[in-house]
Amino acid sequence: MGKKLSVFALVLMLAASLLSACGNAGNGASGGDNSSEGGSASGGSAAEGEIYIPIISKGFQHQFWQAVKSGAEQAGQELGVRITFEGPETESQVDKQIEMMQAALDKKPSAIGFAALDSQASIPLLKKAQENNIPVIAFDSGVESDIPVTTASTDNMAASALAADKMAELIGGEGKIAMVVHDQTSVTGVSRRDGFKKQIEEKYPNIQIVDIQYGGGDHLKSTDLAKAMMQAHPDLKGIFGANEGSAVGVINAVTEMKKEGRIVVIGFDSGKAQIDAIKNGTMAGAITQNPVGIGYETVKAAVAAIKGEKLEPQIDTGFYWYDKNNIDSEEIKAVIYE
């Protein structure tokens, strides 16, 4: 009986040893492996000889970021590098994003892709990356620093100016309008606000912007803001929502206030709610970026920077106007996302 117990104990020890070995293998970083993770800082430190590029986005809750992630994964697979993709739960969590950036630096990556929620708050960590010879590729939003070797993004000033032209055209060149912007700390928030506002003020003297509010990209908060705007200005003719969450909030507000067809809604970005709103007439149209292209170009630029190749300071990933007239075209279907 004692001999049988000893053999049984030995078998258990061998099994435990094998399971432990398998677990360690799964947790370790493997060269050339491509992975993506969202919501929290994760992914092991870079393994010797592998190219590891953590991508830190501004959020994870919008379909826009899922499309960026898809493009980054595609480039990672094609170029044979390992990426992780993560972002805070909401686009107002600047502290959480800074923690993710710190965690990424601690893993000693080959390069980092970074879309800053706050262009100032991240600068100390960007300096740390520079001191450790880790190239930083800014994407979607730039930062007020020359440390990133390039920025892969839409020309947000030009894109929001086009949105302003469309608004002016659709309200007949005169009247009161308002804006719901996602924030005033990121480059995208500031550029889209200023690009739209500047275009209206310089080209359309008979249009008055009566209110600009910031909803943090949260569609519930943006809904409340847009409803308050309509209550304060019953003669409002249009509202511009400067990102996906802002635009969805405006759509919901117009629907709840039963002002469909009486308020011209123009948005930015894509997503199922905006596509449905354009098709049912609640939203006149929107600017869409090329989020898959943003993710793809970010990883591609990171690999080039790691190899020491010279990069232009800006990679323009393009933008498009879409409405009910072209939403089903092949060109637009390739850049909108649900």
Side-chain angles (χ1 to χ4, degrees):
M1 186 68 176
K3 186 176 180 180
K4 287 181 178 177
L5 280 173
S6 297
V7 171
F8 182 65
L10 180 61
V11 169
L12 285 177
M13 290 174 62
L14 285 170
S17 177
L18 284 170
L19 285 170
S20 175
C22 291
N24 289 337
N27 293 332
S30 56
D33 182 29
N34 179 276
S35 62
S36 60
E37 302 159 23
S40 62
S42 53
S45 299
E48 186 176 353
E50 77 166 352
I51 294 178
Y52 167 50
I53 306 167
I55 309 293
I56 302 171
S57 75
K58 291 166 68 176
F60 225 77
Q61 77 276 38
H62 294 318
Q63 290 157 331
F64 175 83
W65 297 115
Q66 298 300 318
V68 174
K69 174 174 176 278
S70 171
E73 289 175 338
Q74 182 184 339
Q77 289 168 356
E78 289 180 10
L79 299 172
V81 301
R82 185 168 77 90
I83 69 161
T84 53
F85 195 102
E86 53 198 303
E89 286 79 8
T90 74
E91 295 183 21
S92 61
Q93 292 179 304
V94 175
D95 291 346
K96 182 73 175 290
Q97 191 191 44
I98 293 298
E99 290 174 9
M100 289 179 166
M101 183 67 167
Q102 179 63 65
L105 286 169
D106 290 344
K107 294 169 190 168
K108 304 185 187 325
S110 312
I112 292 178
F114 185 56
L117 278 171
D118 187 316
S119 60
Q120 288 289 333
S122 58
I123 288 177
L125 290 180
L126 294 179
K127 290 179 178 175
K128 186 174 179 180
Q130 187 179 45
E131 290 166 0
N132 288 280
N133 298 315
I134 299 170
V136 176
I137 312 300
F139 70 98
D140 182 64
S141 279
V143 293
E144 294 176 27
S145 164
D146 59 1
I147 293 176
V149 294
T150 189
T151 300
S153 70
T154 304
D155 183 341
N156 285 290
M157 288 288 286
S160 55
L162 175 58
D165 287 336
K166 294 293 182 180
M167 176 68 82
E169 176 186 337
L170 291 167
I171 66 170
E174 61 181 10
K176 296 178 180 178
I177 62 172
M179 303 165 64
V180 178
V181 182
H182 40 297
D183 63 61
Q184 51 188 332
T185 56
S186 71
V187 172
T188 60
V190 172
S191 296
R192 291 177 198 171
R193 178 196 65 195
D194 292 351
F196 187 93
K197 184 171 179 286
K198 185 169 181 283
Q199 188 79 344
I200 291 292
E201 291 175 346
E202 291 185 353
K203 287 188 64 178
Y204 306 102
N206 295 323
I207 297 177
Q208 180 186 7
I209 299 174
V210 295
D211 201 359
I212 302 174
Q213 295 291 332
Y214 303 91
D218 180 85
H219 70 274
L220 295 176
K221 185 176 179 182
S222 300
T223 299
D224 291 340
L225 292 172
K227 287 166 69 175
M229 289 172 170
M230 286 185 277
Q231 289 165 343
H233 304 280
D235 54 348
L236 202 63
K237 296 180 76 172
I239 305 178
F240 171 52
N243 79 339
E244 181 181 345
S246 307
V248 171
V250 176
I251 292 166
N252 291 342
V254 167
T255 302
E256 290 178 23
M257 298 286 283
K258 301 188 185 307
K259 291 207 172 190
E260 301 98 321
R262 289 187 287 161
I263 298 279
V264 172
V265 179
I266 287 180
F268 209 109
D269 295 325
S270 177
K272 188 175 188 310
Q274 290 195 74
I275 291 170
D276 289 346
I278 287 174
K279 289 184 174 178
N280 69 28
T282 307
M283 173 174 274
I287 300 292
T288 182
Q289 306 180 81
N290 181 1
V292 174
I294 290 173
Y296 187 93
E297 292 296 335
T298 298
V299 173
K300 182 181 173 185
V303 173
I306 293 164
K307 293 178 179 176
E309 297 175 9
K310 181 174 175 54
L311 292 165
E312 296 297 324
Q314 187 74 37
I315 300 171
D316 185 352
T317 51
F319 61 87
Y320 306 82
W321 166 260
Y322 69 104
D323 58 20
K324 64 182 178 183
N325 296 315
N326 67 353
I327 195 168
D328 292 321
S329 70
E330 292 303 316
E331 180 183 50
I332 295 302
K333 283 196 292 187
V335 292
I336 58 176
Y337 44 90
E338 295 191 355

